[in-house]
Amino acid sequence: MRRLAAAATLAVLVAATACSRGGDTPDTPGRLPDGPDVLRVLAGSEVKDLEPLLKEAAGAVGVKVALTYTGTLDGAEQVASGGADGHYDATWFSSNRYLSLIDGANAKLSTQTKVMVSPVVLGLKKTKAHALGWDTRQVTWADIAAAAKDRKFTFGMTNPASSNSGFSALVGVTAALSNAGEALDKAQIAAATPKLKQFFSAQTLTAGSSGWLADAYAKTSSVDGLINYESVLLGLQSRLKEPLTIVYPSDGVVTADYPLTLLASSAKKDLYGKLATWLRTPDVQRKIMTTTYRRPIVPEVRPDQRFGTAQLLELPFPNRRSAADELISAYLNQVRRPSRTLFVLDTSGSMRGDRIDALKQALAALTGADTSVSGQFSRFRNRETVTLLPFNSAPGTPRTFTVPERDATPVLGQIRSYGEDLDAGGGTAIYDSLRAAYELAARQGNGGDFTSIVLMTDGDNTDGASYDDFASYYATTSRNVRTFVVLFGDSDVAEMKQVAALTGGATFDARSGSLASAFKEIRGYQ
């Protein structure tokens, strides 16, 4: 578990979140460092690459920055509900657009300072872009949608319910395909849904964060491109065997402007002002441009040649939260390709008591018991196939549920009832059970669906095959199904990270936090 020292000599004190790669453990607000020279910032993971630069702020202007990372929607809800009051002094998301739509949220915000700019665009393998003729002419989202419909290319994009880059891309595509001249509304979203379904039929890679998506794309050769921040695409170039051609749709994009925002409840206005002013100085803006590939926000610093000469036209954004939520819901339940998820759940003897209760609560949350907006977006989706495979000394009998496209309530109730009947006892056959899940996934076939496995265990492997045995088996599979591991209780952290790395997945740490929250985080990656 990673910890950055909180000594006064450090300029940046980072509290990692459960959605970070590598199984970092979330810090609770009560454990945040504080002091007269510390600015506590609730941030999106997109600004994590600014940590090295922010270390300079302590020496330059006497400000130490304590960053706590969270998802965009979770962070917005936390601020709007007042949960951030007293724990944080500022927020720093890639955009405040969604936050500003929540009733009462604007009253929680004070000064906003835009720091940098990055549009959400399409990056496509150079040979694929050339074959489509997109390297020599202007391209619209309609052109991109037509090629996607005919599967002339495939792409990856983050989940719009958990990542601002995915949300911005979804808004941009919808606005362009619906010819919206003003803010999107529910009628326009409904009219655009058939076209969106054709567009996203070409999406073959998903993720819960822009960084994880970029890492996954760099490791695969089967996906042609990415819809992501321009900065992420530029930063990827040196890691790819084949460079990306960046396509700037001529009918418009949605741009992130990264506003550092003072919370109205904070008493550290002066500290905020020093940091915000420093971040917009020409020297710092140049460093941001060269190290993070984002465009400078101040006119004194001109974007360099990497950003090209395409003029960026901003597409309209929803001006009501109901429209924004409707768009995300339509994407999850109607538009995107269905998902197929296999949960491999530890029900060994060590799970007795509070642990098995936590597992039941986590499953219930995914059936709709979590009534928060982010909770509703992370529930089992319409058209999703869900398999629950409990295990102890040996794999149990799997139970598969398919959530219908309409009227999901009865099936969600069945899943909840199944979870409530789980009991604990016996040993822990992790690798026999994980292998059983992979064999079941192979028999089910994915039919083009997003298929993944969630492994939750609270201890060491005590029965059956070893990790080495599983690794040997995994080498014989098609290796296109990732395992996302939830660390819980007394999990063998090193070995579980090996499982995630082997399968291209990630670890999510629930040892000191909520198992339900970890499950919710994982849903962004499925």
Side-chain angles (χ1 to χ4, degrees), residues 140-201:
T140 66
W141 282 114
D143 296 328
I144 296 170
K149 173 187 175 183
D150 294 337
R151 293 301 297 272
K152 292 182 178 179
F153 75 100
T154 58
F155 68 91
M157 190 187 87
T158 59
N159 188 326
S162 58
S163 169
N164 188 71
S165 66
F167 183 44
S168 297
L170 180 61
V171 169
V173 173
T174 307
L177 295 182
S178 64
N179 296 314
E182 53 188 23
L184 284 169
D185 58 27
K186 289 187 176 183
Q188 291 169 326
I189 293 167
T193 295
K195 293 180 181 178
L196 289 172
K197 195 166 186 176
Q198 294 171 350
F199 181 93
F200 285 105
S201 68

Side-chain angles (χ1 to χ4, degrees), residues 316-383:
F317 205 83
N319 60 10
R320 294 182 181 275
R321 181 182 179 180
S322 59
D325 291 349
E326 178 72 19
L327 181 57
I328 296 173
S329 180
Y331 171 84
L332 294 174
N333 294 310
Q334 301 175 54
V335 168
R336 61 164 257 167
R337 298 162 71 192
S339 55
R340 183 178 301 272
T341 312
L342 295 91
F343 286 81
V344 183
L345 304 172
D346 189 342
T347 58
S348 61
S350 59
M351 286 287 293
R352 288 193 185 97
D354 291 343
R355 292 181 181 179
I356 196 70
D357 289 341
L359 175 57
K360 293 177 181 181
Q361 291 167 9
L363 287 175
L366 297 186
T367 65
D370 182 346
T371 58
S372 68
V373 173
S374 58
Q376 291 303 297
F377 288 149
S378 62
R379 76 153 176 84
F380 294 123
R381 302 170 186 123
N382 298 7
R383 305 172 299 142

Side-chain angles (χ1 to χ4, degrees), residues 36-377:
D37 57 351
V38 175
L39 193 73
R40 301 164 299 172
V41 181
L42 183 64
S45 61
E46 295 92 345
V47 303
K48 191 175 178 65
D49 57 2
L50 287 173
E51 287 177 18
L53 176 64
L54 290 173
K55 289 181 180 180
E56 301 176 18
V61 291
V63 180
K64 298 174 184 176
V65 184
L67 293 169
T68 299
Y69 297 111
T70 187
T72 301
L73 296 191
D74 279 336
E77 286 187 302
Q78 190 171 351
V79 171
S81 68
D85 293 350
H87 298 300
Y88 304 102
D89 303 298
T91 65
W92 202 354
F93 301 113
S94 55
S95 171
N96 279 347
R97 290 188 181 100
Y98 185 87
L99 174 59
S100 67
L101 298 178
I102 302 177
D103 290 342
N106 287 328
K108 299 292 183 180
L109 307 178
S110 182
T111 308
Q112 301 184 34
T113 304
K114 297 178 180 180
V115 175
M116 49 201 173
V117 175
S118 193
V120 175
V121 292
L122 170 66
L124 207 57
K125 288 180 179 178
K126 185 176 181 179
T127 54
K128 182 64 69 171
H130 181 72
L132 292 168
W134 293 355
D135 54 349
T136 57
R137 66 178 178 88
Q138 287 190 333
V139 179
T140 66
W141 282 114
D143 296 328
I144 296 170
K149 173 187 175 183
D150 294 337
R151 293 301 297 272
K152 292 182 178 179
F153 75 100
T154 58
F155 68 91
M157 190 187 87
T158 59
N159 188 326
S162 58
S163 169
N164 188 71
S165 66
F167 183 44
S168 297
L170 180 61
V171 169
V173 173
T174 307
L177 295 182
S178 64
N179 296 314
E182 53 188 23
L184 284 169
D185 58 27
K186 289 187 176 183
Q188 291 169 326
I189 293 167
T193 295
K195 293 180 181 178
L196 289 172
K197 195 166 186 176
Q198 294 171 350
F199 181 93
F200 285 105
S201 68
Q203 183 185 359
T204 57
L205 181 64
T206 188
S209 71
S210 298
W212 195 90
L213 180 73
D215 289 345
Y217 179 78
K219 296 173 184 176
T220 183
S221 59
S222 60
V223 184
D224 297 319
L226 289 180
I227 298 178
N228 212 322
Y229 295 115
E230 175 190 55
S231 58
V232 172
L233 301 177
L234 290 172
L236 256 179
Q237 298 286 33
S238 62
R239 300 167 56 189
L240 302 176
K241 294 181 180 178
E242 181 178 354
L244 295 172
T245 295
I246 299 182
V247 178
Y248 297 89
S250 60
D251 46 352
V253 295
V254 174
T255 302
D257 52 18
Y258 302 91
L260 179 65
T261 305
L262 180 69
L263 292 176
S265 60
S266 174
K268 297 181 179 178
K269 184 176 181 179
D270 290 344
L271 213 61
Y272 165 87
K274 290 179 182 179
L275 179 64
T277 300
W278 179 76
L279 287 167
R280 288 174 62 97
T281 58
D283 285 347
V284 174
Q285 287 280 294
R286 290 188 188 95
K287 288 181 180 179
I288 289 174
M289 179 172 63
T290 56
T291 60
T292 75
Y293 307 100
R294 296 186 182 96
R295 301 179 183 222
I297 197 78
V298 299
E300 299 95 316
V301 181
R302 294 174 60 89
D304 62 36
Q305 61 184 7
R306 289 174 298 182
F307 301 102
T309 59
Q311 186 174 0
L312 301 180
L313 175 67
E314 196 71 13
L315 286 165
F317 205 83
N319 60 10
R320 294 182 181 275
R321 181 182 179 180
S322 59
D325 291 349
E326 178 72 19
L327 181 57
I328 296 173
S329 180
Y331 171 84
L332 294 174
N333 294 310
Q334 301 175 54
V335 168
R336 61 164 257 167
R337 298 162 71 192
S339 55
R340 183 178 301 272
T341 312
L342 295 91
F343 286 81
V344 183
L345 304 172
D346 189 342
T347 58
S348 61
S350 59
M351 286 287 293
R352 288 193 185 97
D354 291 343
R355 292 181 181 179
I356 196 70
D357 289 341
L359 175 57
K360 293 177 181 181
Q361 291 167 9
L363 287 175
L366 297 186
T367 65
D370 182 346
T371 58
S372 68
V373 173
S374 58
Q376 291 303 297
F377 288 149

